[in-house]
Every structure is written in C-alpha cells, then in structure tokens.
Amino acid sequence: MARTPVLYLSHGAPPLADDARWTRQLAGWSADLPKPQAILVVSAHWEEAPLTLGATETVPLVYDFWGFPDRFYQVKYAAPGAPELAAKVRKLLHSTTPVHDAPDRGLDHGAYVPLVEMYPDADIPVLQVSMPSLDPQALFDLGRKLAPLRDEGVLIIGSGFFTHNLSAMRETDGTDGTPPQWSTEFDHWGDEVIQHGDFDALLDFQHKAPAAAVAHPRIEHFAPLFVTLGASETTGRTVIDGFWHGLAKRSLEFS
C-alpha cells in the first residue's frame, strides 16, 4: 500500500462552503488522492488534555458556531466510526502519551465542513482527536508518533486556517476584498518556509514570522499544521491559496 500524504486544510467558517470555487477545489483535490482506508483529523476547534479520542461510532455532529442561518445547523455527515483506527492510535501513543476517550463527541466543523466537500458519500471511517497542547514542538512530536498510520492507508488531516484574526476581518470589504497587509505578509512567509522545509522557523513562528501576533492572536488555527509537519517531515505543496474575508486559506499537501 502506497504511503498516504498528509494535509493541512484551511477549513473556514461554515459559510465558506457557499464558495463554489473552494468546494470545487476540495472535490478536485480529493479526486487526485488515493482513497484512504480511514481519516484522522486534528481540528483547531478541539483542545483537550490529555489527548482525547472522539466518538468511534456515528454520533451527531458538533455545531460549534453561533449566529449563522439555520441551514448550517442542518448539515449531516454520518461517516462511519473508526474503532480500529482508535485502537491503533492508542497503541502508537500508549508508552508516551496518555489517551482518554470522549465517546459522545462528534466531528466538529473543522472536520466535517471540508469532508462534506472532499468525501460527500461519507463512506470512509473518520476519527477526530483533540489537541492536548498548543505547544508547537509537542504537536510536531505527536505528528511523528502518528506517522506510521500513513503506511496503513490513513489520511492525516490538520484543519485550521492559515491566518486567523476574526476581529480584523472588518478590515476587508467582503469575501473577495483586498486582504490586509499583515495577512499577505504572514501567508507569503509561511509559503516560503514550508517550501524550503524550514521547520525550525515554523515551530518558532511567533518570533520568526512577520505580523505573527496579528495573524494569530491565539494560535489554535495554525497549530494543526505542526501535527501535519511532524507526520510528514517533508516540504509541502500548496493546493489551495488566496484569501477569504482577508484571511489566508492556504491549504497544503505533504507527501
């Protein structure tokens, strides 16, 4: 079995699913990938320590957002649970990392919003795991420990947003308005260091990247990238770029 790639997705708020170009890009991306045996998702929207495994059977989604039209709360994604994958994660981590279970915790929008577009048949088992820390090195090390899953057909996805400052979205006029300078500078820097495989700079992005404190006032949407980097340890290629309400939606694939 060929080793699966590792992805970092900028998943956006639920209304990004109304962007026909973005949904086409996601569908085209998944069509170019080997169909995974299972999917493991680390989302910006679940921080819990110790590391916690979500439901291993199909349970309701987590609509972890407020103030949107009712139709966004009607989305369904009844992917099969992944108990076998959960057992493999426990085995990989048992000697170094405590693992807890949250059997009622369904997929949050960082997981299901992109998966609805990429794998709309919902026929692939999906397991979501929490981020036990926002420490970049700890998340990178977690990705390294999970990397063997790639040899078993598991698609590892880190889901966040490449720049994420919701309070600054008002600087942009609409979804396609000119993005603010801080967002373009951070996005360009991130693209460059990823292409060059400069993981040290990425792990220390809060000190090395331009406008880091503005691009990520809190780092939970950049943090899933570190799991992706640890699971790949290779340079990545951009599959989706551009901006949405001024936020960089760069999404990457690592072979």
Side-chain angles (χ1 to χ4, degrees):
M1 181 179 294
R3 196 171 216 214
T4 59
V6 191
L7 312 184
Y8 172 80
L9 294 170
S10 290
H11 65 256
L16 190 51
D18 291 339
D19 183 329
R21 181 169 181 265
W22 185 72
T23 58
R24 285 195 305 270
Q25 288 172 319
L26 285 179
W29 191 358
S30 61
D32 289 338
L33 297 172
K35 187 172 181 178
Q37 299 297 307
I39 298 171
L40 178 68
V41 182
V42 177
S43 162
H45 297 283
W46 191 15
E47 300 171 48
E48 187 167 342
L51 183 141
T52 305
L53 307 181
T56 55
E57 59 184 35
T58 305
V59 299
L61 301 176
V62 177
Y63 303 106
D64 51 337
F65 44 85
W66 299 267
F68 290 99
D70 287 346
R71 60 191 174 87
F72 292 114
Y73 303 91
Q74 306 305 317
V75 174
K76 306 297 182 188
Y77 194 74
E84 293 182 0
L85 177 55
K88 291 175 182 178
V89 170
R90 288 190 191 94
K91 185 176 180 180
L92 288 170
L93 300 181
H94 82 279
S95 63
T96 59
T97 307
V99 177
H100 285 196
D101 292 278
D104 298 327
R105 213 273 184 184
L107 304 176
D108 63 43
H109 80 271
Y112 76 76
V113 166
L115 291 180
V116 164
E117 310 303 335
M118 298 181 79
Y119 299 104
D121 294 337
D123 58 349
I124 301 170
V126 179
L127 177 69
Q128 186 169 347
V129 305
S130 72
M131 289 191 294
S133 165
L134 292 181
D135 177 73
Q137 186 64 57
L139 292 172
F140 184 87
D141 292 342
L142 172 62
R144 275 182 164 168
K145 294 169 187 173
L146 296 173
L149 297 171
R150 300 177 57 197
D151 297 317
E152 301 185 44
V154 177
L155 180 65
I156 299 173
I157 298 176
S159 181
F161 219 102
F162 208 74
T163 62
H164 190 262
N165 184 333
L166 298 184
S167 65
M169 287 175 69
R170 63 181 179 271
E171 298 176 27
T172 304
D173 183 18
T175 58
D176 298 318
T178 301
Q181 185 175 349
W182 58 262
S183 192
T184 59
E185 287 181 351
F186 185 94
D187 179 60
H188 176 75
W189 176 87
D191 181 37
E192 288 286 312
V193 295
I194 287 170
Q195 286 188 47
H196 287 92
D198 189 349
F199 292 168
D200 288 340
L202 286 163
L203 292 171
D204 194 27
F205 83 98
Q206 290 172 292
H207 300 105
K208 300 290 178 62
V214 184
H216 290 282
R218 194 170 183 277
I219 74 167
E220 79 282 359
H221 274 75
F222 204 56
L225 175 63
F226 304 129
V227 180
T228 297
L229 294 173
S232 63
E233 298 195 72
T234 61
T235 58
R237 71 177 185 93
T238 293
V239 179
I240 298 172
D241 59 10
F243 297 84
W244 182 77
H245 284 286
L247 304 181
K249 56 182 180 179
R250 187 173 299 280
S251 298
L252 304 124
E253 179 179 328
F254 298 80
S255 60

